[in-house]
Amino acid sequence: MKDYDDTISFLGQWGVFQQIVFFLLCASILPNGFGAFSIVFLNDIPSHHCAVPEVNLSKDWRNAIIPIEVVNGKQELSRCSRYRLDVVRNLSAQGFIPGRDVNLTDLEQEGCVDGWSYSRDIYQSTIVSEFDLVCSDQWKQPFTSTVYFLGVLVGSFFSGQLSDRFGRKPVFFTTMALQTIFTFVQMFSPSWTVFSILLFISGLGQSSNYVAAFVLGSEMLTGKVRVLFSSLGVCLCFAIGYMMLPLFAYFLRDWKSLLLAISLPGLLYIPLWWFIPESPRWLLSQGRVEEAEAIVRKAAKKNKVEAPRVIFEDYIAHAYETKTDSKEQNNVFDLLRTKNIRNTTVILCLLMFTMSSGYFGLSLNTSRLHANPYISCFLSAAVEVPAYISSWLALRYLPRRLSLVSILMLGGMSLYFIQLVPQSLSDMAVALEMLGKFDFTIGSALMLAYTAELYPTVLRNTAAGTCNAASRVGSCIAPFLLQLGVYFKYLPYIILGTLSVVSAFAALFLPESFGRPLPQTIQQMHKRESMKCPFITRKENSKAVVFFESRL
């Protein structure tokens, strides 16, 4: 059967049709950029201490009623206790002066029975101040981020399979609607529990529409334009959206206003339904040749080129067979059915897990760059721009396997070296940490393109969704991984560095896809000599091919 890219080569690579698909799909990624890390501002903990009601207290006692504690070598007001109000009122009425007439360490303390007073120096409000996620309920604050990433994980896992079954376009717009609607509805949450449920549903669409847009563009674009889209296009738009987030958060310091600002842009993408078509590759994989031809003919009309009388002539002969086979739908278990595909899937999931753990771990740890969280967030986003440009160059000129191994080794070594930097050279430690973030960002961009290139059309979105789900497991544990620094400052860096080095060796067993057309069927994936892992024997591989050919 003639290769799809060769079949539609008469369209060219950069006509009006390709330009519309390229820019509209890239634009759809912007909300993912400022939505992915919005939880950093929504869920941040403002400075706080126990509220003191308006009672008759002297100025000295009002200033002294909150105990002083030493935290990380610094003195600060206690966040969860105060001296007993009735005792303090009695001492104040008698004219006693704290510290002179009364030893404060002898006074009994109580919890924040009247609530908390939150600083408004940085935020007007966050969900922490709205729902009092402090002291005995402080566990809810990090768990909120985990709930969000769990939603992203579940959405990534199931959206890929739904996309391979029902089409790229419906899943793309459905997940975009989920993200937009439930981000908006979160503003009306009456409690933390309701907010968390809505946040989970919003997370279902957050990464799912990103993957759907990525696969949709990768299948409709060809040649160098496809490489440009899958590296610079979607990734730079994500970084631009990421850099817009601190700008929104700086001017909208109330959590409800911020949610409104990041949800409304989703309404602008409703008209995209009439401009973005379904993937012809997917339609062909389902035996729907007439629909695929209709889309390509419209594309030819937009590009002002003449289409052949029969575009997919080779596919028509197989249409009935494909339609019959489509009744037996492919699913996630096909990613594990043979040793060749299973080993490729397991290694890719390991790499995605490592990349995501490093990316989110270092992104959430950038507060040390600057005391101002808005500047910290912008710097963390800005470092991604040169990273994505580097990923585009790597995809354009370098083999995938060599690129991944080099990036993982460099990222792992930079994290190992942080513990060797003396405290007097703190800027060098930050530079090494940003180098690690730079490498993990490049690797994350490469992995999306690499995964799409390795799997056939009938499994491509399932594979992308499954690997993306593995990466979201890494994002879920990243906040807890950072907490290990309480026991040993450099332990998170050592763990992430070790993961990187182990993943680099695992990547050596992946097949190469550089310069090869996207596989259409599972047979094509198996027939490529370079697709065989070193530990798969020729006999085992030939059996796998026969098995799948009997199904297809």
Side-chain angles (χ1 to χ4, degrees), residues 17-34:
F17 172 77
Q18 289 91 343
Q19 292 170 16
I20 291 175
V21 170
F22 185 100
F23 289 114
L24 290 184
L25 287 178
C26 285
S28 73
I29 302 299
L30 285 173
N32 294 92
F34 49 72

Side-chain angles (χ1 to χ4, degrees), residues 480-508:
F480 300 100
L481 184 64
L482 295 177
Q483 295 299 316
L484 296 177
V486 175
Y487 305 101
F488 178 55
K489 180 180 179 180
Y490 300 108
L491 186 56
Y493 300 116
I494 294 174
I495 294 175
L496 288 175
T498 303
L499 271 174
S500 298
V501 174
V502 171
S503 298
F505 282 104
L508 292 172

